[in-house]
Amino acid sequence: MADVSLIAGSAAKEIIENLGFEMADIEYVREDGQMCLNFYIRSKNGVNIDDCEAVSRAIDEAVENANPTGNKPYCLCVSTWGDRPLKNDSDFDFFLDVLVEVKIKKSVSGKKKKFVGLLKAFDNDSVTVLVDDVPVSFEKTNIDIIRPYIGF
């Protein structure tokens, strides 16, 4: 069977974009004993619960007609990006100049392993974050996780 996420994404991408959102990721995973097809959307203007509901209603029929699971039951969910890890250049690009949290594997200087700051730059090998007005670069191989920072 073809890739469920690919089929579902192809059916939904244009609809999501026409609603003013970016389809950031799709996962087909088992949750609470059932298979779930999770769409993650984002927008520079933010995403709220009403947006998720509107996108879910808009893509439901198109995804169902595409039959990505080959008639196997699934739950369709639409969610915000939230604090999901940044995985690829598109993610890093989207979150430039946004507050991120970086957790590193090995401390480079001192004992600090967690940093919060503005994502300023990235390339294939490193990420630069502005922490307290000081640029701090991290080798990607030493990053355990980098994600948008959600503070309360």
Side-chain angles (χ1 to χ4, degrees):
M1 181 163 101
D3 185 274
V4 172
S5 296
L6 185 62
I7 295 168
S10 294
K13 183 176 182 182
E14 186 175 339
I15 297 167
I16 291 170
E17 289 174 351
N18 287 339
L19 291 171
F21 301 98
E22 179 185 341
M23 184 175 70
D25 200 7
I26 304 172
E27 291 179 327
Y28 182 58
V29 294
R30 181 169 300 282
E31 292 179 4
D32 298 325
Q34 67 180 346
M35 294 306 292
C36 292
L37 186 56
N38 298 324
F39 284 80
Y40 296 95
I41 61 172
R42 60 189 176 201
S43 166
K44 288 291 186 183
N45 297 322
V47 177
N48 64 39
I49 188 94
D50 294 330
D51 297 329
C52 293
E53 180 182 2
V55 169
S56 179
R57 290 182 189 279
I59 67 172
D60 185 46
E61 186 176 344
V63 172
E64 190 171 319
N65 289 340
N67 193 17
T69 64
N71 295 321
K72 293 180 182 161
Y74 65 93
C75 175
L76 176 67
C77 298
V78 177
S79 181
T80 68
W81 185 262
D83 67 347
R84 293 173 48 79
L86 281 57
K87 297 189 254 181
N88 55 46
D89 284 354
S90 172
D91 297 342
F92 283 95
D93 228 12
F94 186 86
F95 289 101
L96 277 174
D97 292 318
V98 173
L99 212 52
V100 294
E101 173 184 38
V102 181
K103 292 182 181 176
I104 58 175
K105 297 172 186 172
K106 267 191 317 189
S107 179
V108 179
S109 59
K111 297 181 182 188
K112 193 170 182 180
K113 292 177 91 174
K114 179 181 170 185
F115 301 83
V116 174
L118 289 177
L119 178 61
K120 295 309 282 181
F122 68 93
D123 59 32
N124 288 338
D125 302 315
S126 65
V127 173
T128 301
V129 176
L130 194 61
V131 179
D132 298 325
D133 295 322
V134 177
V136 180
S137 291
F138 304 94
E139 294 298 319
K140 282 187 174 178
T141 56
N142 191 34
I143 295 175
D144 188 37
I145 190 167
I146 182 170
R147 60 183 170 205
Y149 177 72
I150 299 176
F152 295 99

